[in-house]
């Protein structure tokens, strides 16, 4: 009941923040659109006046009767042509700005920057600012869909750098909430990997464990893909917990992403875990609390995704590629930091003696190197485990 009340209170607070953000965003967008509309009207008037002046100047050239009149008329025409060019660029920029279309803005901005006509600076600045805003919104939308920590952080940074916090207030708030959830899952998965065998052994030592132990560990294995029929009793759960090698529990948690979890299983786990308070679980055993925290985080994230996933969701993964390659050198990479790749040493020309040595080696037979862990993965209980995928954050 306490957990339910806290969850309801947090949800209500989030709804209030979203409502405030939406009101601020709508007011800012109305103001921005009003400015763009007024600028379009001014640009249209300027364009019509410039075209009229151009026609009059052309007529003056035709009506000139003396060389002096012709010279004056030509000067007027040249001035009118410059004004018409400026008015045309301003009109195109204003029209594209009101349309709020990236495909229209990009070529118009490029054309204005290339010609550098005096008097178009204000319209160009507004068009460029809107273009950056729309690009930032698109970047954020893609990052939140892919649910990649590094991409979401980069998109949020771009919005703040451009000063679009109010104009994209709702999108920014939603991205920040999602980022917080993803980082919580990242932390929970890391905490599982830090558990020692002795800590887990305390939990395994129960002959008749409390109900909370059975239910939490059953939830963990349901999320990892086990069927309910395989988890009926505590001995059944111990069988899964004692597995080694590829079926090691830590390894399975490392390889688990929300997209791989059955929606029905996540819903079932949510109903199980909501009965227990986090403090009560941690008081039982430390290991149980860590497993509980991971299960709660990963189940919430799966329920935030559609019940039936598209191929896009399945291929994107939670923290980057759904099946990323192992990290080089066994190194761990912080959020958003790509793994450092060592440059290959240049091959030096071999001396004759070395070449002869190689030939002798071929005759005698090469010694096989001792098998090493896959790219220096994390070694736990004699098993070489892959580096957690959430450490990749979208690096391909």
């Amino acid at each position: 009941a306490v957990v339910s009340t806290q969850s309801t209170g947090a949800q209500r607070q989030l709804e209030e923040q979203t409502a405030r953000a939406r009101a601020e965003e709508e007011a800012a967008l109305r103001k921005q659109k009003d400015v763009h509309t007024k600028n379009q009207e001014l640009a249209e008037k300027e364009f019509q006046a410039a075209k009229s002046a151009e026609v009059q100047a052309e007529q003056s050239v035709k009506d000139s009767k003396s060389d002096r009149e012709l010279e004056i008329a030509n000067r007027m025409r040249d001035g009118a042509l410059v004004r018409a060019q400026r008015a045309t660029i301003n009109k195109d920029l204003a029209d594209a700005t009101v349309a709020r279309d990236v495909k229209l803005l990009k070529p118009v901005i490029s054309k204005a920057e290339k010609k550098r006509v005096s008097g178009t600076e204000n319209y160009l600045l507004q068009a460029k600012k809107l273009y950056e805003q729309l690009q930032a919104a698109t970047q954020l939308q893609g990052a939140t869909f892919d649910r990649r920590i590094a991409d979401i952080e980069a998109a949020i940074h771009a919005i703040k750098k451009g000063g679009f916090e109010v104009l994209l207030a709702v999108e920014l708030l939603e991205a920040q909430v999602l980022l917080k959830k993803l980082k919580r899952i990242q932390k929970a998965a890391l905490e599982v990997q830090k558990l020692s065998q002795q800590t887990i052994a305390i939990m395994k030592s129960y002959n008749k464990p409390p109900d909370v132990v059975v239910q939490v560990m059953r939830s963990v294995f349901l999320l990892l893909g086990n069927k309910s029929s395989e988890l009926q009793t505590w001995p059944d759960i111990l069988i899964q917990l004692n597995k080694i090698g590829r079926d090691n529990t830590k390894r399975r948690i490392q390889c688990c992403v929300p997209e791989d979890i059955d929606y029905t299983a996540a819903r079932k786990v949510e109903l199980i875990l909501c009965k227990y308070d986090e403090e009560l679980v941690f008081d039982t055993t430390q290991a149980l609390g860590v497993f509980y925290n991971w299960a709660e985080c990963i189940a919430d994230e799966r329920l935030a995704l559609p019940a039936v996933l598209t191929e896009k969701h399945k291929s994107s993964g939670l923290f980057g590629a759904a099946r990323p390659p192992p990290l080089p050198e066994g190194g761990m990479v912080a959020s958003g930091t790509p793994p450092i790749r060592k440059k290959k040493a240049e091959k030096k020309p071999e001396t004759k003696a070395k070449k002869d040595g190689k030939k002798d080696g071929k005759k005698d037979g090469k010694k096989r190197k001792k098998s090493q862990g896959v790219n220096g993965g994390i070694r736990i209980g004699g098993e070489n485990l892959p580096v957690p995928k959430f450490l990749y954050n979208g690096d391909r």
Side-chain angles (χ1 to χ4, degrees):
V2 174
V3 176
S4 178
T5 305
Q6 290 176 348
S7 177
T8 305
Q11 184 65 28
R12 189 182 298 112
Q13 185 180 6
L14 179 60
E15 289 173 357
E16 290 173 358
Q17 289 177 343
T18 305
R20 284 197 299 271
R22 182 169 285 108
E24 291 175 1
E25 181 179 312
E26 288 175 353
L29 284 173
R30 277 197 302 271
K31 186 177 179 181
Q32 185 187 55
K33 289 178 180 179
D34 288 343
V35 170
H36 291 166
T37 302
K38 287 179 181 178
N39 287 340
Q40 185 187 35
E41 292 172 357
L42 290 172
E44 182 64 32
K45 288 180 182 178
E46 180 189 3
F47 177 76
Q48 295 298 336
K51 283 296 180 183
S52 178
E54 185 182 1
V55 171
Q56 290 178 2
E58 289 287 351
Q59 189 62 40
S60 297
V61 170
K62 292 179 181 178
D63 295 341
S64 299
K65 295 180 180 179
S66 64
D67 292 342
R68 180 62 179 167
E69 288 181 358
L70 182 60
E71 183 182 353
I72 294 171
N74 282 329
R75 288 178 183 176
M76 290 176 61
R77 184 181 63 182
D78 291 343
L81 289 172
V82 171
R83 288 192 295 275
Q85 185 184 33
R86 179 176 63 238
T88 302
I89 292 173
N90 286 342
K91 183 179 181 299
D92 291 342
L93 287 168
D95 290 344
T97 303
V98 170
R100 304 177 73 83
D101 189 340
V102 173
K103 292 180 180 178
L104 291 175
L105 281 165
K106 189 174 181 179
V108 170
I109 290 171
S110 179
K111 181 181 176 182
E113 288 179 331
K114 188 177 180 180
K115 292 195 173 181
R116 296 183 180 180
V117 177
S118 178
T120 61
E121 294 83 4
N122 290 336
Y123 288 93
L124 179 59
L125 182 64
Q126 286 189 358
K128 288 174 72 175
K129 197 70 176 174
L130 179 62
Y131 180 78
E132 290 174 9
Q133 177 188 329
L134 296 175
Q135 285 285 83
T138 303
Q139 181 186 355
L140 185 65
Q141 185 181 13
T144 52
F145 183 86
D146 289 340
R147 310 175 93 78
R148 298 176 180 178
I149 290 177
D151 290 352
I152 295 173
E153 287 177 337
I156 289 173
H157 176 72
I159 288 173
K160 290 182 176 179
K161 186 179 178 181
F164 307 127
E165 293 97 323
V166 179
L167 289 164
L168 298 171
V170 176
E171 294 85 348
L172 184 60
L173 178 62
E174 290 174 350
Q176 288 170 336
V177 170
L178 176 60
L179 182 62
K180 189 176 179 180
K181 285 173 62 180
L182 296 181
K183 285 190 172 182
R184 187 183 169 210
I185 298 172
Q186 184 186 57
K187 184 180 177 182
L190 276 173
E191 289 299 321
V192 171
Q193 304 310 316
K194 290 178 183 178
L195 285 174
S196 66
Q197 293 300 326
Q198 291 82 1
T199 309
I200 297 174
I202 295 171
M203 186 175 63
K204 290 180 182 180
S205 64
Y206 285 115
N207 289 324
K208 293 182 179 179
D211 184 62
V212 63
V213 176
V214 177
Q215 293 299 335
V216 169
M217 294 314 298
R218 180 178 288 137
S219 298
V220 169
F221 288 110
L222 283 172
L223 293 171
L224 292 176
N226 290 93
K227 297 177 181 178
S228 297
S229 57
E230 299 173 328
L231 308 166
Q232 292 296 320
T233 63
W234 177 241
D236 292 337
I237 293 170
L238 280 178
I239 290 172
Q240 301 299 327
L241 197 56
N242 288 326
K243 285 186 177 180
I244 59 174
R246 296 184 64 86
D247 294 328
N248 180 280
T249 305
K250 285 187 177 182
R251 180 190 176 95
R252 292 177 70 187
I253 286 175
Q254 281 180 322
C255 298
C256 180
V257 291
E259 293 84 353
D260 291 341
I261 297 170
D262 182 66
Y263 188 86
T264 308
R267 179 65 69 189
K268 188 183 294 185
V269 167
E270 183 190 42
L271 295 173
I272 293 172
L273 297 182
C274 71
K275 300 174 185 177
Y276 303 103
D277 181 43
E278 188 174 347
E279 291 184 9
L280 171 66
V281 178
F282 270 94
D283 287 342
T284 308
T285 68
Q286 182 191 353
L288 187 70
V290 172
F291 282 119
Y292 170 89
N293 194 24
W294 174 82
E296 185 183 41
C297 292
I298 207 81
D300 285 347
E301 177 58 20
R302 176 60 187 93
L303 293 173
L305 296 170
V308 180
L309 297 176
T310 63
E311 288 303 316
K312 171 65 177 173
H313 276 110
K314 290 178 182 177
S315 63
S316 66
L318 176 59
F319 301 108
R323 294 288 180 270
L327 279 172
E329 303 295 328
M332 290 191 176
V333 180
S335 174
T337 308
I340 299 170
R341 296 180 179 177
K342 290 187 176 181
K343 293 183 179 179
K344 292 182 179 179
E346 294 181 2
K347 292 183 179 179
K348 294 181 180 179
E350 297 178 349
T351 60
K352 190 176 181 182
K354 285 185 179 179
K355 287 182 179 179
D356 292 338
K358 279 191 176 181
K359 289 177 182 178
D360 294 336
K362 286 181 181 178
K363 291 177 182 178
D364 297 337
K366 291 184 180 179
K367 293 181 180 180
R368 293 185 180 179
K369 294 182 180 179
K370 292 181 180 180
S371 59
Q372 297 176 350
V374 181
N375 291 330
I378 300 174
R379 196 169 184 82
I380 298 174
E383 294 296 329
N384 228 316
L385 305 185
V387 177
K389 65 181 64 182
F390 48 75
L391 297 172
Y392 290 86
N393 296 322
D395 295 313
R396 300 254 176 184

